Amino acid sequence: MPHTAQSTVIAGPWTPRTHAPAPRTPERRRAAPPADPARMCEGLAPAQLVTLEALQIFGWRLAFVRRPLFQAPIPVLFDQEGTRHVVILEDGTLDEHATLKLRN
């Protein structure tokens, strides 16, 4: 004859325990140090550097350089207001309609 276990809930005079929020752990990621523009320009093609210098005269700023594996670096520039971005292709031409996925 098999024995089945039964559980019993005992009501006591104690107050129900409320769940306190779990303590937050500090953020492990550190803020990235400001990028050095000279280091960002390393590895760019001469045509990209010429176009970059010309755009900087008109107030565009180099925001970052994507460096995909086994491909040419992709410098990304933003206008003064930060509303538009362009990509300088390897031959120095601009791609104003780049299909980059940018984070906020």
Side-chain angles (χ1 to χ4, degrees), residues 50-61 77 86 88 94:
V50 169
T51 304
L52 173 62
E53 290 173 6
L55 286 172
Q56 286 176 332
I57 291 171
F58 293 104
W60 289 78
R61 66 175 177 80
L77 291 87
V86 295
I88 304 175
L94 293 178

